[in-house]
Amino acid sequence: MTVQPLLRRHVTEAMIPKVFASVYLVLLVCYFVLDIDRAPLASSPSEASSVPQTLLFREWGSIPRGSRIEHTLERRNLYLRGGLAAPQQKSNSVEETRETNRYSDKYEQDPLAIIPKPSTDNDAIDEIAKRLKEELNLGPEADRLIAENRTEELTDLIRGRRKMVDQGLEKDTSVGYANASETFVLTQVGRKQREMVTKQMAEVYGETLKQRPNSFKAINLSGKSIGREASKVFAGYLEKCVHITEVDISDCIAGREEGDAHDGLENLSNALGRFAEIRMINVNNNALGDKGINRLRYLLENKKYLTDLRLGNIGGQVAAMKIVKEIILNTTKPTLLKHLELHRNLLTTDGAVEAAALIRHSPMLNHLSFRQSRVTSDGAEAIFKAILEAGVQHLQVLDIRNNNMGISKYPSVTESFAAVLAQQKGLVELRMGGSGLFVGPSLKRIMHVLLDHSKNSLEVLDLTSCRIKEDSVESVSKMIEPFTNVRELNLDGNKIKSEGIKTLVSLLEQGYFPNLEVLDLKDNEIGSIGGLAIARAVVERNLKVRNGGGEAKSKMKTIKRLELDQNTINEWVLSEIGDLFAKAKLPSTILGELDLNDAEFDEDEKDKIEEEKKKLFELVEKHNLHKDQREATPSEDDILQILGKAIKETQVDFYDEHSKGAIGDEEEGRKLQAVRDSKHASGKS
């Protein structure tokens, strides 16, 4: 069955233009495909048939109960779990029994054999889309992305649909936890948006906890505001749970009066604190302060297996850190902590000293963050020495950004930090920008240590506000050059101009930084020449990867984001850059915001700007990029090709027996549909 007759039939029925119908229908299937919860395969058909139907789906959205789509989802899930489910009543249909046995036998030989192979990707996508046109909808935003051929953004949109805000509060959503029998996620149960949870809402949202208290190992109540009364309801349900190992109560008291908020946290803490096997506690983004942290004492006490503690942005000062230190160290010494977050607090020097006392007894740390915590050089040195004394050797993430380390003991802190870096065996992410410390000779010292000990492991390097000026760009670029695995490079907030950016452009053109995906050059002094040059280098790099075949793709990655805002690039040059990306059919999301460029301070000469613009035209000619894809109307084949790529990028397998007639063997499809119609007519579906 070809695509064109099917499109003509459905488009005629809907009385809408052919292209719009194709876009609309194909997008529907993508939403459907990504909304299916893929579960592990069952060991046998009998086991599959015993799986509760409510565990096979999540976030149904607008799919009506009892509809053909629901039944299709059920059949698809049961196939993937291990054959068809045993019917609830004995079927009088010999034909259906034969079909069921045939597919079950085929599954025993090859679990994937039951999924018919489509003749072409386009046929499969188009047929499924047309049949589901009345069930699901992605809206006009998706139409625009298809028209602009922006596949990556389209894929993100498809994935993001399950995060859309629910409009009602229905009990059918009570099965909306992240992984069946694993995690209870409050924002997936009821409405998705932030809200003040009342007692009545808590009773509805907690229905799944009430019905299946033995099913959950992790509790996530983040993202909604829970006060005194609502917390009592949740606490009652939580007390019936048996085995909880992860607790996330971050950002769950916003907008509450202090007493109401702290009472709510204490109720949750008391209900969850009895689980001694807890390994992860996340209370980020709650206004706790010294009083609030004391209310969580029962949750933090006696957790011998705690490996992940997140206390970021809680208003923590010296007293709060002292309480946390005493509770944790009174339980076990040394601790098993691997992940510790203390960012965006008010530690200053004394708070950092208390944190250092905890770190000193945590030799297994692999993630440490205390960015934006007002840590001075004395406090930073205390933390660095604690890391050395603990013998921490496996830090993968270290985030010390935006502190006040440039005061007093400047050389001493640099050497302590260098010793910490030299001790690590696989540092992956280092964010040290804006600390007021690593500038000039200090920065060079740190970069040399990184080169000696983390050359092959470092993936994220943040050099924000390190006072890198025009005369030092070349030397810094040379120091960064050997880090071949860097995928994110942040040079935001420095003093780089157009002349200085040429070194970086040259390195990109020569194939350095093959794994680079994010390049942040915001808030520098880059003029129009530098903006054109770096944009041209990024486009050429991405085209080379996209069109260069397997060898180029295996050696380099495409750059997914280039940040050029808050520089001095002319408006007409920004327009030229945008046109270049459009002509190259590259996603516009690669370019970040550009609104805050101030052309008044552009020092680049106009004749040199024209010279750089000529290079842009040469690139257009070289790759034949004359046609602006933003103004082109895509054909049906273009639409199907774009969506086919988007589906493949999501790596989701799909099977639907209702479309079998178009996707697989047409004769067998008709037989199976006849069996289905007979079953529905007899009232046994």
Side-chain angles (χ1 to χ4, degrees):
M1 189 176 292
T2 62
V3 175
Q4 192 64 24
L6 289 170
L7 275 172
R8 186 179 300 113
R9 183 181 64 199
H10 290 284
V11 169
T12 302
E13 291 175 359
M15 300 180 66
I16 55 179
K18 183 193 299 183
V19 174
F20 180 82
S22 302
V23 173
Y24 179 71
L25 300 176
V26 174
L27 287 166
L28 296 184
V29 65
C30 296
Y31 175 76
F32 171 56
V33 169
L34 290 174
D35 210 29
I36 296 174
D37 184 16
R38 296 195 297 166
L41 294 176
S43 58
S44 67
S46 60
E47 180 182 336
S49 65
S50 66
V51 178
Q53 183 177 346
T54 54
L55 297 185
L56 301 182
F57 322 107
R58 68 179 172 195
E59 292 188 20
W60 279 87
S62 62
I63 300 177
R65 294 291 175 181
S67 69
R68 183 173 66 173
I69 303 308
E70 180 190 37
H71 191 73
T72 299
L73 281 170
E74 176 190 4
R75 302 284 288 183
R76 184 266 185 191
N77 276 277
L78 290 176
Y79 270 123
L80 292 181
R81 288 170 184 267
L84 291 171
Q88 298 296 320
Q89 302 177 16
K90 184 176 180 180
S91 173
N92 295 326
S93 171
V94 176
E95 188 69 16
E96 183 179 18
T97 303
R98 186 178 299 127
E99 292 294 330
T100 299
N101 291 340
R102 182 168 66 83
Y103 279 108
S104 296
D105 293 342
K106 188 179 273 189
Y107 174 82
E108 294 296 330
Q109 300 171 14
D110 180 7
L112 297 180
I114 60 174
I115 304 177
K117 300 296 187 284
S119 55
T120 67
D121 289 340
N122 289 357
D123 287 346
I125 296 168
D126 192 60
E127 172 63 19
I128 297 165
K130 286 189 289 292
R131 191 175 50 73
L132 298 175
K133 67 177 182 178
E134 299 299 330
E135 303 284 353
L136 305 165
N137 178 26
L138 279 177
E141 174 66 8
D143 301 344
R144 182 179 64 80
L145 294 178
I146 284 189
E148 295 179 12
N149 205 10
R150 287 151 63 177
T151 308
E152 292 184 17
E153 289 180 72
L154 182 61
T155 304
D156 292 340
L157 177 64
I158 294 168
R159 285 176 171 154
R161 287 299 295 179
R162 70 170 51 150
K163 298 180 180 179
M164 292 294 288
V165 175
D166 283 351
Q167 296 302 315
L169 190 140
E170 300 179 14
K171 287 192 176 182
D172 279 345
T173 58
S174 63
V175 294
Y177 41 87
N179 299 310
S181 302
E182 289 282 339
T183 305
F184 176 85
V185 182
L186 182 56
T187 53
Q188 292 184 7
V189 172
R191 298 188 181 100
K192 304 297 188 297
Q193 72 268 28
R194 300 181 64 86
E195 61 185 349
M196 306 287 276
V197 179
T198 64
K199 180 180 179 181
Q200 291 73 24
M201 289 178 178
E203 289 172 350
V204 175
Y205 293 162
E207 189 68 20
T208 306
L209 280 173
K210 180 180 178 181
Q211 293 177 356
R212 302 179 56 80
N214 300 335
S215 300
F216 303 106
K217 295 181 181 178
I219 301 295
N220 185 339
L221 303 179
S222 176
K224 293 186 183 291
S225 184
I226 303 172
R228 186 182 298 113
E229 297 304 319
S231 67
K232 290 179 182 178
V233 176
F234 283 122
Y237 295 148
L238 291 170
E239 287 174 356
K240 298 177 182 179
C241 294
V242 176
H243 184 65
I244 302 297
T245 60
E246 296 182 10
V247 173
D248 186 346
I249 53 174
S250 61
D251 190 19
C252 72
I253 57 173
R256 299 275 178 182
E257 176 270 327
E258 183 180 281
D260 186 26
H262 289 176
D263 286 349
L265 281 174
E266 187 170 18
N267 290 336
L268 296 175
S269 173
N270 292 339
L272 293 164
R274 65 188 182 86
F275 299 106
E277 63 273 23
I278 287 177
R279 290 170 168 77
M280 189 277 279
I281 298 175
N282 184 355
V283 295
N284 283 348
N285 304 319
N286 286 310
L288 298 176
D290 300 339
K291 296 179 182 177
I293 201 70
N294 224 5
R295 298 290 194 100
L296 297 179
R297 181 177 289 273
Y298 189 51
L299 177 60
L300 298 172
E301 284 178 339
N302 301 317
K303 302 300 180 288
K304 297 180 181 179
Y305 307 104
L306 187 65
T307 61
D308 188 334
L309 180 59
R310 307 186 185 194
L311 301 170
N313 194 25
I314 62 170
Q317 301 184 44
V318 181
M321 279 311 309
K322 188 173 183 178
I323 292 171
V324 171
K325 176 200 70 174
E326 291 174 352
I327 293 174
I328 301 300
L329 294 183
N330 284 342
T331 300
T332 179
K333 193 187 295 185
T335 75
L336 299 180
L337 284 176
K338 294 182 179 180
H339 189 119
L340 180 60
E341 294 185 10
L342 302 172
H343 56 269
R344 298 185 67 184
N345 284 299
L346 306 171
L347 299 183
T348 65
T349 299
D350 294 336
V353 170
E354 296 294 342
L358 176 59
I359 293 170
R360 189 172 292 109
H361 297 284
S362 304
M364 299 175 66
L365 277 178
N366 59 33
H367 183 122
L368 176 61
S369 170
F370 58 92
R371 72 176 186 273
Q372 291 179 267
S373 291
R374 304 187 185 183
V375 176
T376 64
S377 58
D378 292 330
E381 188 166 22
I383 291 176
F384 297 151
K385 287 184 176 180
I387 294 173
L388 295 171
E389 292 173 18
V392 176
Q393 298 181 5
H394 299 285
L395 274 176
Q396 295 180 1
V397 177
L398 181 56
D399 189 348
I400 62 173
R401 286 173 290 171
N402 300 327
N403 283 293
N404 305 320
M405 301 178 191
I407 303 171
S408 73
K409 301 181 181 178
Y410 178 83
S412 175
V413 182
T414 300
E415 289 306 314
S416 296
F417 186 61
V420 167
L421 297 179
Q423 191 168 274
Q424 308 314 310
K425 297 182 178 179
L427 189 64
V428 175
E429 182 175 326
L430 176 60
R431 299 187 184 274
M432 58 182 184
S435 60
L437 173 63
F438 306 109
V439 297
S442 177
L443 178 60
K444 291 182 180 180
R445 168 78 171 118
I446 297 304
M447 293 303 298
H448 283 305
V449 173
L450 286 173
L451 184 61
D452 291 339
H453 298 277
S454 301
K455 174 183 174 182
N456 297 321
S457 63
L458 197 66
E459 296 181 8
V460 177
L461 180 58
D462 185 335
L463 300 178
T464 302
S465 301
C466 285
R467 302 182 195 176
I468 300 174
K469 298 181 180 179
E470 192 75 358
D471 56 355
S472 59
V473 174
E474 184 173 357
S475 61
V476 171
S477 297
K478 296 287 185 182
M479 287 188 284
I480 299 172
E481 179 184 313
F483 294 91
T484 56
N485 288 320
V486 166
R487 57 179 176 79
E488 180 179 337
L489 178 59
N490 193 335
L491 297 171
D492 177 12
N494 287 290
K495 301 293 182 181
I496 303 173
K497 297 184 179 181
S498 290
E499 190 65 29
I501 209 69
K502 289 182 179 179
T503 304
L504 196 56
V505 170
S506 176
L507 291 175
L508 287 175
E509 290 176 338
Q510 295 176 55
Y512 287 96
F513 313 122
N515 293 299
L516 188 65
E517 294 180 336
V518 178
L519 178 59
D520 192 341
L521 296 168
K522 290 195 306 292
D523 195 17
N524 278 279
E525 298 175 6
I526 300 171
S528 297
I529 293 175
L532 286 168
I534 195 67
R536 174 175 50 80
V538 168
V539 169
E540 192 154 23
R541 157 82 164 261
N542 285 10
L543 289 175
K544 186 182 295 183
V545 174
R546 188 176 72 187
N547 305 328
E551 184 177 353
K553 290 182 180 180
S554 64
K555 289 183 177 180
M556 289 192 297
K557 293 183 179 178
T558 58
I559 294 178
K560 296 180 179 178
R561 195 167 85 247
L562 172 64
E563 298 284 356
L564 289 172
D565 208 11
Q566 301 178 54
N567 281 288
T568 62
I569 305 173
N570 267 306
E571 186 174 345
W572 66 271
V573 171
L574 294 175
S575 179
E576 292 285 348
I577 292 173
D579 288 343
L580 176 63
F581 275 79
K583 290 175 181 177
K585 295 165 62 173
L586 296 175
S588 61
T589 50
I590 293 179
L591 285 171
E593 295 291 334
L594 298 170
D595 299 337
L596 298 180
N597 274 276
D598 192 347
E600 290 186 14
F601 297 95
D602 187 2
E603 299 176 358
D604 294 347
E605 299 176 11
K606 289 186 177 181
D607 56 339
K608 292 185 178 180
I609 295 177
E610 290 298 326
E611 290 179 12
E612 189 61 44
K613 193 175 176 181
K614 287 180 182 178
K615 295 180 182 179
L616 220 60
F617 291 144
E618 292 172 2
L619 178 64
V620 171
E621 292 290 337
K622 177 181 177 181
H623 294 278
N624 193 24
L625 305 178
H626 295 287
K627 190 175 181 181
D628 190 339
Q629 296 298 319
R630 293 179 301 180
E631 300 175 357
T633 301
S635 66
E636 291 174 12
D637 289 340
D638 290 335
I639 292 169
L640 293 172
Q641 185 177 6
I642 295 169
L643 267 296
K645 182 179 178 182
I647 288 177
K648 288 177 182 178
E649 288 177 1
T650 63
Q651 299 180 343
V652 174
D653 297 325
F654 178 76
Y655 168 77
D656 184 281
E657 69 178 7
H658 280 295
S659 58
K660 183 180 171 73
I663 298 177
D665 181 40
E666 188 171 353
E667 180 63 22
E668 292 204 349
R670 283 198 296 268
K671 289 181 181 180
L672 197 55
Q673 187 60 51
V675 172
R676 173 72 60 231
D677 294 341
S678 174
K679 184 174 181 181
H680 281 294
S682 62
K684 295 181 179 180
S685 62

